[in-house]
Amino acid sequence: MLVAADKNDCLYAPHPTGDVFEDEISLANEKVVTLCVETERICGLSPTEEIVSPTQIFQLIEKLHAASCMFRIPRTSLKRSRSNHPVAMEDIPNHSIQMISTTKIICAENIDRLLKYHMSYHLGLDDDLTRKSSLFDISPKSEPNTKPFALAMEAWKETHAPHSGEKAAEILQYWGELYGGDINHAPTVAEFNIVLETFANCSSDDYSSFERGMFPAESAWDLYTLLSQLDDPFLIPNIDSCSHMIRALSNHAFVLRYSTKNFDTGMDSDVAAIRAYFIWKKMLDLIASKNDAGENEVELAWRAHMEILNISSDGMLRREDSDHMDYKVGFNIGQDTEELLVRLLQIPCAYTSRNERIRYYMSQAFSSTMVAWTKEQSAQIRHSAKDRHVAFQILQAARSVIALLEVMKGQGLVPEPKHYDSCIKSYANCLNKDVLPFYEKNVAHGLLPEVRKLLSDMEIDHVDNMMNRHLDGVSTSSQDKISATIYSTVIDCYYRNLKSGLGHGNDHKNAARVLETMLKLYERDLLWIEKGHKTLTTALNRVLQMIIETNPGSEDVNRATKLITRFRSLPDRYGGPDSKAYSPKLDSVSFGAYLTLLSKSDCEDSSFEVSNVLDIMENERVKLEHIHYIAAIKGLRKGRNGVLKLRAKKLLFDAIREFTELSVHDQDCAEFNAAALYTSMISPTKSSEAISLLGSLQKQYDETMNPKFKPDYPLLCKVLQTISVDKKTAPWKDEKAFEILGHIEESYMNGDDQMIPNKFCILPIVNILRRNQSSNAAEVALQLLERMDELYAKSGKLSARPDAAVFCAVMSVVALSEFPSKAKKIWSLHEKMDKRHAEGNLSGQPSFDSLSIVLDACATSFKLEERDDALSVALRVAKRAAVKSIAGKPTAKFYNSLIRSFGVLLSDESRRRQKEDLISSVFKQCCMEGLLDDKILLSIREFYPKLYRNLPGVKKGMPSELPRDWSRNCKRSRKGKPSI
């Protein structure tokens, strides 16, 4: 902030804003101009004209110093190249800061000129400022007055200019040459500290204006070394000296570490960090030996503590042991930094409760330690072999960060958003996909609730109060705004939780609410976004991706549409259209995600929205990329509007035309897949069109021999799937399906591993066989299953292994056929599937649906010679369902199939008693499970009329007074009655 100068720093003082502030700067500049004119007049006088008295010079120096100190440059405007925290800039125009910086430099330069004039004409120095006479030959009119020297050094200290340190050191040298032998006027350690502080101030620059000579920190180090070697009790380095020196070295270390330029220096970042650490240890000894340290000394000491923790959290302080080798950089910075912090907290401090600056530095110290723990987590994730031990260490680091937050509260400090940011990031690291699988289930499920609680606490402590101040008309500075990174990290946590399989069905909704909070803060100008980062856009893209992965329905599409609409209406707070700063706009990824979402949704109007999105992209000159073409074509083809379908066809031709117009080199580099485009053009139930599209693409490939036009496996499977579900059947379509399957198998045999025949091409063929029910359908289906088994045994590829869906499809074909002893055959297939599952095929677990298929085969075994075997199979199924774990829960279809099997296979009068007992047992179990539906009642009436007549409420038709509990788990019809 720019504020009126006070004896201390102005970081927490209010400052004038708006036109009032600009007027005050202009008024100060007018005073400075007047003083500069007077300085020019004085320094331009020759000795023969007039010699201005020392008193006049001193008065002018004091006025210039006062004018220089009218305003201070805010600390937050002095950028430092640190990775720990983002640099928040005050809401003050850059030209105002530049104006004040220039004014301060002008004042310092004029004071410097006046001081040299005074030394030349009143202290007996030549033009080159070398002594002409002894100090004791000075006239009585020029009594020793060292205040101008102090004011000159103070003025240079306030400028923060790159050369201010050298200027202050030069003045100190003149002072020492003039009064070094005078015990009452010689420079003391306080004056040396001013120079050290000046060097520290100018070292906070990024060295972009550095040209030649020594770096500020190097000059400060030489001066500090000189002080340490002097045998002078008045010049012993004190706490202030150490603090300023540590700050200069810290600035130097960070600038060199993160600068993009290469500097020729004898003190690199590691050397600077080590020197700062040893000076800090010396300062701790001074603090321990001094029981009456003043408030200012304690404040400067805590500033030094903060600098050391910053250095440690960046990994520049490493021990020489096996845990701190070069390849383990970052592995222990959290623990090492926390040890330093614990050591500091054990030092008594009597000024913490009343000194805001000390509290600020302590808060920064906690923040640096928390950041160190998150960096240690990141290093472990990047470089360690992922195992349970590493996962436990990362979790312990997160718990350490939370413990620091509680200790901080215990110290009477209020956690700021950046502290919550570190806590949230620590748990986000625990949710990393490489770490999360090693946690126990209860631990993994507890990570996201911790993140939600931290965000809630931060909003209660800061966001709510900030919102209330905004409603009251109180402006908020940039450093008090909430960082968008916090909310973005929370959204990432939801996303990681969802991707890991731990996610709740509402995770995408909760992530969308977090994004809505971000938008609300941005609309009120309460959200801080780091320069060069597109945090809002990235967060929106992440939420859209989450919605895509949760099988979006109409509600999800509406939510995404509202977010997109609101996002597009956000104001531009960071410059105009030509500004290089970030403005919240949808990018190519945003449009791609939204189009993909619309293409996957089941909304009737989604195709119209796809068309609207394409119009928006055209108006905003967003170039359509491959992902946009695929999603847009698929979305437009979903609707029934013929115009939209024509637009989809045009998009397909446009995409191909754009690709073919590229040069050969650009085609090789382009992200283009014609097969994916054609796949998106296929309607789910129009097999003739699908076959035509496949033929068109095959023709283009044959003509060009460009691999990017080659029909791929997903396209072939899509065509097969379309043929299998199309109600308009035709023999030529089925023949085409088998031809496609043959092409897939032949391509794989010729070395194309992408064409491996697996369930995605086998299932459609089996479904075609089941639909056609040809005389040899069962034999063909069994052959396909056998070929899959052989391929898996030969290749060992899991994708070729038959799963439960393939087994059930083949069993269904056999069940509907006249295959000899089909009940026994299907039961053997079921046992084979069960055995495979026991051996590790998790996707081949038997279920009640597969048992129902076995029972259907039993119920349709009408040949007398097969009935006993079929009954034996049905009894085994009933026993298996009762004693062995089967995937899922029993279904109404299973119980109905079991009843019908017993009814058909025990239809002889001699077995009536056995039939009635079995059906009664199944009926009782069915009612206990709450699965009694209309079809089961019809089967009871057909195979056990007596039981049916004894049901409550049976008069005419279906029973009307059955207990509702018997059908509690049945699917309901539109009328609300149980129905299958």
Side-chain angles (χ1 to χ4, degrees):
M1 313 163 217
L2 289 171
V3 298
D6 199 355
K7 65 177 182 178
N8 295 319
D9 201 288
C10 55
L11 189 61
Y12 296 96
H15 62 82
T17 58
D19 296 335
V20 176
F21 181 60
E22 297 289 342
D23 292 342
E24 292 190 10
I25 295 178
S26 299
L27 182 61
N29 284 338
E30 291 177 5
K31 294 180 180 179
V32 171
V33 169
T34 303
L35 295 173
C36 290
V37 170
E38 179 64 16
T39 301
E40 183 66 28
R41 186 190 71 80
I42 292 175
C43 295
L45 294 173
S46 64
T48 58
E49 293 178 306
E50 176 186 1
I51 296 180
V52 183
S53 67
T55 302
Q56 291 177 290
I57 294 175
F58 296 164
Q59 289 175 351
L60 188 54
I61 288 176
E62 289 178 345
K63 290 178 181 180
L64 283 166
H65 180 266
S68 172
C69 294
M70 285 186 67
F71 297 97
R72 287 181 182 268
I73 302 173
R75 284 176 179 251
T76 49
S77 72
L78 303 172
K79 296 185 178 180
R80 298 167 65 179
S81 302
R82 297 192 176 185
S83 61
N84 295 18
H85 308 293
V87 180
M89 293 292 294
E90 287 299 325
D91 299 325
I92 299 173
N94 289 332
H95 70 272
S96 297
I97 296 177
Q98 184 63 37
M99 186 185 303
I100 291 184
S101 299
T102 303
T103 301
K104 287 179 174 292
I105 293 174
I106 291 173
C107 290
E109 289 175 343
N110 280 274
I111 292 174
D112 200 79
R113 290 183 65 189
L114 289 170
L115 185 61
K116 289 180 179 178
Y117 178 89
H118 171 65
M119 288 189 292
S120 176
Y121 291 102
H122 298 286
L123 300 182
L125 299 182
D126 282 327
D127 291 338
D128 59 354
L129 301 182
T130 56
R131 178 168 297 284
K132 293 187 297 186
S133 58
S134 171
L135 173 67
F136 301 103
D137 294 334
I138 299 175
S139 64
K141 293 182 179 181
S142 54
E143 287 294 330
N145 187 348
T146 59
K147 185 176 181 181
F149 293 92
L151 293 179
M153 289 192 299
E154 286 279 355
W156 280 115
K157 184 189 74 174
E158 293 296 325
T159 64
H160 297 268
H163 59 288
S164 59
E166 297 297 336
K167 290 290 186 180
E170 183 182 272
I171 295 170
L172 180 64
Q173 183 179 357
Y174 296 152
W175 189 346
E177 290 177 358
L178 287 169
Y179 302 113
D182 189 341
I183 192 172
N184 295 319
H185 300 94
T188 65
V189 71
E191 282 70 48
F192 279 88
N193 289 343
I194 292 176
V195 178
L196 289 175
E197 185 176 2
T198 308
F199 278 124
N201 289 345
C202 61
S203 67
S204 63
D205 188 24
D206 59 3
Y207 290 176
S208 59
S209 58
F210 179 81
E211 296 179 358
R212 61 185 181 276
M214 297 182 69
F215 288 97
E218 292 179 314
S219 300
W221 173 256
D222 290 344
L223 182 60
Y224 179 83
T225 304
L226 175 65
L227 277 177
S228 302
Q229 294 173 350
L230 290 176
D231 188 17
D232 189 335
F234 297 102
L235 296 178
I236 297 176
N238 55 20
I239 295 175
D240 295 18
S241 313
C242 295
S243 178
H244 298 320
M245 191 63 242
I246 290 171
R247 184 181 173 212
L249 292 170
S250 174
N251 291 339
H252 183 82
F254 278 102
V255 169
L256 293 187
R257 190 176 183 89
Y258 293 105
S259 176
T260 57
K261 294 177 61 177
N262 293 323
F263 298 104
D264 183 15
T265 174
M267 183 167 61
D268 60 18
S269 58
D270 290 336
V271 172
I274 294 172
R275 287 176 175 176
Y277 176 73
F278 281 105
I279 294 175
W280 177 71
K281 290 183 66 176
K282 181 178 180 180
M283 187 185 73
L284 291 182
D285 294 337
L286 291 174
I287 294 173
S289 63
K290 190 172 183 179
N291 298 325
D292 57 344
E295 183 172 348
N296 186 64
E297 289 181 310
V298 174
E299 179 183 319
L300 290 175
W302 265 105
R303 187 186 70 181
H305 301 334
M306 177 194 70
E307 300 287 357
I308 291 298
L309 291 173
N310 283 340
I311 292 174
S312 176
S313 69
D314 212 74
M316 286 188 277
L317 294 179
R318 286 183 287 153
R319 302 172 183 170
E320 295 296 332
D321 56 39
S322 59
D323 291 330
H324 296 75
M325 307 298 289
D326 286 340
Y327 68 93
K328 291 187 175 182
V329 171
F331 275 33
N332 298 87
I333 59 175
Q335 180 180 349
D336 294 347
T337 308
E338 185 173 295
E339 289 177 1
L340 295 176
L341 178 64
V342 170
R343 180 177 178 182
L344 294 175
L345 294 178
Q346 295 173 349
I347 301 175
C349 181
Y351 306 102
T352 304
S353 59
R354 70 171 186 242
N355 190 305
E356 288 296 328
R357 291 311 305 273
I358 295 177
R359 295 168 62 85
Y360 167 76
Y361 291 135
M362 291 181 69
S363 176
Q364 290 291 104
F366 275 98
S367 178
S368 296
T369 310
M370 292 176 175
V371 169
W373 276 116
T374 61
K375 289 184 177 181
E376 179 173 317
Q377 287 178 313
S378 300
Q380 294 277 11
I381 293 171
R382 283 195 308 269
H383 303 298
S384 294
K386 310 304 180 294
D387 55 27
R388 190 175 298 276
H389 175 68
V390 172
F392 177 76
Q393 287 182 321
I394 293 172
L395 179 61
Q396 286 299 106
R399 290 171 176 170
S400 296
V401 176
I402 299 300
L404 285 171
L405 188 71
E406 296 303 320
V407 173
M408 184 178 178
K409 294 177 181 178
Q411 292 285 328
L413 303 173
V414 178
E416 298 176 17
K418 61 187 174 185
H419 299 104
Y420 287 106
D421 185 21
S422 296
C423 294
I424 291 171
K425 283 180 179 177
S426 68
Y427 276 105
N429 288 331
C430 296
L431 285 164
N432 185 282
K433 62 182 178 63
D434 295 329
V435 177
L436 191 58
F438 295 103
Y439 295 131
E440 296 180 1
K441 192 172 182 179
N442 61 326
V443 174
H445 278 289
L447 297 175
L448 190 59
E450 288 289 342
V451 173
R452 288 200 299 264
K453 181 180 182 301
L454 288 166
L455 180 65
S456 176
D457 291 346
M458 186 205 71
E459 291 181 333
I460 292 173
D461 291 345
H462 295 279
V463 178
D464 293 346
N465 294 333
M466 191 169 60
M467 287 281 197
N468 293 333
R469 291 197 304 270
H470 175 77
L471 293 175
D472 293 338
V474 180
S475 62
T476 304
S477 62
S478 292
Q479 69 177 5
D480 293 329
K481 294 177 182 178
I482 302 298
S483 174
T485 307
I486 300 175
Y487 287 96
S488 179
T489 305
V490 174
I491 292 175
D492 279 341
C493 289
Y494 278 112
Y495 180 75
R496 293 176 183 181
N497 199 60
L498 180 67
K499 292 287 287 184
S500 67
L502 299 172
H504 189 269
N506 292 326
D507 276 354
H508 66 290
K509 298 178 183 179
N510 293 329
R513 293 190 188 99
V514 175
L515 177 60
E516 289 171 356
T517 303
M518 292 180 71
L519 299 180
K520 184 189 300 183
L521 290 170
Y522 182 86
E523 289 167 345
R524 290 161 173 75
D525 198 16
L526 301 176
L527 189 71
W528 184 81
I529 300 175
E530 188 173 356
K531 184 177 180 181
H533 289 226
K534 299 181 179 181
T535 315
L536 264 179
T537 306
T538 304
L540 172 67
N541 296 344
R542 184 68 83 192
V543 172
L544 292 176
Q545 187 62 39
M546 291 182 67
I547 297 175
I548 290 172
E549 296 185 9
T550 53
N551 297 321
S554 57
E555 181 184 354
D556 297 317
V557 173
N558 291 335
R559 179 179 293 106
T561 302
K562 289 179 181 178
L563 287 172
I564 292 288
T565 304
R566 186 174 179 184
F567 196 90
R568 294 186 65 237
S569 65
L570 292 177
D572 186 357
R573 302 191 182 281
Y574 294 92
D578 298 330
S579 174
K580 294 183 179 179
Y582 165 69
S583 59
K585 291 182 179 180
L586 299 176
D587 60 8
S588 179
V589 177
S590 308
F591 283 111
Y594 188 43
L595 287 171
T596 304
L597 171 61
L598 293 172
S599 68
K600 288 190 174 184
S601 72
D602 55 0
C603 298
E604 296 180 358
D605 298 334
S606 61
S607 56
F608 292 98
E609 182 64 20
V610 169
S611 182
N612 293 335
V613 172
L614 292 174
D615 292 338
I616 293 172
M617 294 179 69
E618 183 178 354
N619 293 335
E620 297 184 2
R621 298 181 180 180
V622 178
K623 185 179 182 337
L624 285 175
E625 298 179 4
H626 190 63
I627 185 174
H628 301 130
Y629 280 114
I630 293 174
I633 291 172
K634 185 178 179 181
L636 291 172
R637 292 287 296 173
K638 287 176 56 180
R640 299 180 180 179
N641 188 289
V643 176
L644 298 181
K645 292 184 178 181
L646 288 175
R647 186 170 187 178
K649 193 172 183 179
K650 182 179 181 300
L651 284 175
L652 174 64
F653 293 151
D654 289 344
I656 294 175
R657 176 179 50 78
E658 287 182 7
F659 176 75
T660 55
E661 290 176 353
L662 297 174
S663 64
V664 176
H665 174 73
D666 291 340
Q667 285 185 3
D668 293 338
C669 299
E671 183 182 352
F672 179 83
N673 184 351
L677 292 170
Y678 275 83
T679 303
S680 64
M681 276 290 293
I682 296 177
S683 296
T685 58
K686 295 185 177 181
S687 56
S688 299
E689 186 181 87
I691 294 171
S692 175
L693 287 168
L694 176 60
S696 175
L697 181 61
Q698 183 66 46
K699 182 180 179 181
Q700 292 185 65
Y701 174 66
D702 293 339
E703 292 175 352
T704 63
M705 295 308 294
N706 189 328
K708 296 197 174 184
F709 283 98
K710 183 180 180 180
D712 61 4
Y713 185 72
L715 173 59
L716 298 175
C717 292
K718 182 69 173 180
V719 175
L720 289 175
Q721 178 66 22
T722 305
I723 296 173
S724 69
V725 299
D726 193 354
K727 294 181 180 180
K728 296 181 179 180
T729 62
W732 70 271
K733 295 182 181 179
D734 297 344
E735 292 174 2
K736 185 64 177 178
F738 280 94
E739 179 185 330
I740 293 173
L741 178 61
H743 172 71
I744 292 174
E745 292 178 331
E746 182 182 357
S747 299
Y748 180 73
M749 294 298 294
N750 291 333
D752 189 351
D753 290 340
Q754 301 299 323
M755 288 286 191
I756 184 169
N758 57 24
K759 70 174 184 178
F760 297 108
C761 65
I762 298 297
L763 277 176
I765 297 295
V766 176
N767 290 334
I768 291 172
L769 293 171
R770 181 174 56 186
R771 181 188 63 193
N772 294 343
Q773 297 185 19
S774 58
S775 58
N776 65 338
E779 288 80 0
V780 175
L782 290 170
Q783 288 175 7
L784 290 173
L785 180 60
E786 185 178 352
R787 274 149 60 179
M788 286 191 72
D789 280 335
E790 291 175 356
L791 179 60
Y792 171 63
K794 183 177 180 180
S795 66
K797 295 183 178 180
L798 296 179
S799 60
R801 182 168 58 180
D803 62 1
V806 175
F807 273 99
C808 288
V810 173
M811 288 161 56
S812 295
V813 175
V814 178
L816 293 173
S817 70
E818 298 297 329
F819 192 84
S821 302
K822 61 181 180 181
K824 288 181 63 177
K825 181 61 178 178
I826 292 178
W827 179 247
S828 67
L829 291 176
H830 194 276
E831 290 291 276
K832 184 177 181 181
M833 178 173 60
D834 194 13
K835 181 181 178 181
R836 297 276 182 83
H837 176 257
E839 292 174 351
N841 185 5
L842 299 181
S843 62
Q845 185 176 10
S847 64
F848 282 96
D849 290 336
S850 63
L851 291 177
S852 297
I853 297 173
V854 178
L855 293 172
D856 289 341
C858 295
T860 55
S861 297
F862 300 115
K863 296 180 182 180
L864 292 176
E865 63 271 17
E866 296 178 2
R867 286 198 170 192
D868 289 341
D869 290 336
L871 178 60
S872 175
V873 170
L875 292 172
R876 291 182 185 179
V877 169
K879 183 178 179 181
R880 175 69 57 84
V883 302
K884 190 170 183 179
S885 175
I886 299 294
K889 295 180 179 180
T891 62
K893 185 181 185 308
F894 168 75
Y895 284 120
N896 187 49
S897 299
L898 195 57
I899 291 172
R900 296 194 65 82
S901 297
F902 290 146
V904 170
L905 299 174
L906 297 171
S907 58
D908 294 344
E909 185 63 25
S910 60
R911 294 185 173 184
R912 182 171 60 84
R913 182 62 181 272
Q914 182 185 6
K915 177 184 71 174
E916 292 176 350
D917 289 344
L918 288 172
I919 292 178
S920 296
S921 175
V922 174
F923 178 77
K924 181 179 179 181
Q925 184 65 30
C926 174
C927 293
M928 290 176 60
E929 297 284 348
L931 293 171
L932 182 63
D933 66 0
D934 294 350
K935 290 190 175 183
I936 294 177
L937 288 172
L938 290 174
S939 297
I940 295 293
R941 185 172 65 177
E942 179 181 356
F943 296 108
Y944 195 178
K946 182 178 178 181
L947 174 61
Y948 180 79
R949 289 192 298 270
N950 291 331
L951 293 175
V954 173
K955 295 179 182 179
K956 294 182 180 180
M958 301 295 288
S960 58
E961 298 179 4
L962 293 178
R964 290 189 176 183
D965 191 56
W966 288 5
S967 58
R968 66 185 181 276
N969 293 324
C970 288
K971 294 181 180 179
R972 300 275 166 173
S973 66
R974 292 184 179 180
K975 295 182 180 179
K977 295 181 179 181
S979 177
I980 196 68

